[in-house]
Amino acid sequence: EMALRQLWKGEFANVDLGSFQPRAQNTLAALPAGVPFHRLQSLDDAWPAKGKTTFGFPQNLGYQFRGYDLDALRRPTFHYEYGAVKVDDRFEDLTDAAGKAYFRRTLRFTAPEGTAPFHFRVAAGTKVVATGPQAYAADKLRIRLIASPAAVLREGEVLIPLTLPAGTTTLTLDYQW
């Protein structure tokens, strides 16, 4: 679905007979299912979701997976396209000055001239609130926008409206839970 889906602390995962379960269940933080970017006509529009008959999802929304690279520490950068926009989606585990772990996500967009505006669905949950300037909480997940336009809150979601200039634009955010 071209989206980061879960974050957790601790050991990686158990894989058994095709099922994949994170080992650290008590530190699990869920991110929104579905696609990360979409062109909403209005903030009242529903975010697209995969249904039983949407077999082309997410390709039918303009997504194409283009592979990934691993850095020296084997952390991935995923490459995909959303329409004409090329996206490099990098994830990095870090520790703050107090020793608390967090996750930094850096998205690099390469857009042609005249790219239509769209939204990035940063987080979703049953309780979504602003906790400070450029800071939000969605259930137990805390998000801090570093290099980003201001977010828009709507019921159960944190969205960032994006209007990209031609060339490269970087968006950086931190996840903590």
Side-chain angles (χ1 to χ4, degrees):
E1 293 183 8
M2 311 313 285
L4 180 62
R5 296 293 300 274
Q6 294 180 331
L7 301 172
W8 65 89
K9 297 174 186 172
E11 294 185 46
F12 183 57
N14 291 324
V15 180
D16 184 32
L17 299 173
S19 69
F20 174 90
Q21 297 296 322
R23 288 188 177 171
Q25 291 290 328
N26 60 337
T27 64
L28 186 66
L31 288 140
V35 294
F37 312 113
H38 188 63
R39 289 186 171 88
L40 297 170
Q41 298 301 312
S42 149
L43 284 177
D44 294 328
D45 291 351
W47 199 262
K50 183 176 182 171
K52 291 182 179 181
T53 60
T54 50
F55 301 112
F57 188 86
Q59 292 85 0
N60 60 357
L61 295 174
Y63 284 87
Q64 288 294 316
F65 182 63
R66 299 295 184 206
Y68 66 93
D69 299 317
L70 298 174
D71 69 8
L73 296 175
R74 304 195 51 79
R75 294 179 294 214
T77 298
F78 293 99
H79 308 288
Y80 50 95
E81 294 174 4
Y82 174 57
V85 177
K86 291 181 168 90
V87 182
D88 298 320
D89 199 349
R90 176 175 163 68
F91 310 98
E92 186 176 11
D93 54 310
L94 299 169
T95 307
D96 67 15
K100 292 185 178 180
Y102 65 99
F103 198 65
R104 176 158 292 162
R105 183 178 191 183
T106 304
L107 296 119
R108 188 177 69 201
F109 302 96
T110 305
E113 189 171 335
T115 302
F118 58 95
H119 286 85
F120 170 35
R121 190 177 185 209
V122 176
T126 56
K127 183 179 180 187
V128 176
V129 296
T131 59
Q134 297 288 79
Y136 305 89
D139 299 333
K140 66 179 171 181
L141 183 66
R142 294 182 313 280
I143 305 103
R144 185 171 57 104
L145 308 180
I146 298 171
S148 167
V152 173
L153 295 181
R154 66 181 196 169
E155 189 172 333
E157 297 176 313
V158 179
L159 303 176
I160 298 174
L162 295 172
T163 301
L164 302 176
T168 302
T169 302
T170 301
L171 176 74
T172 305
L173 51 138
D174 291 343
Y175 298 103
Q176 203 168 38
W177 64 103

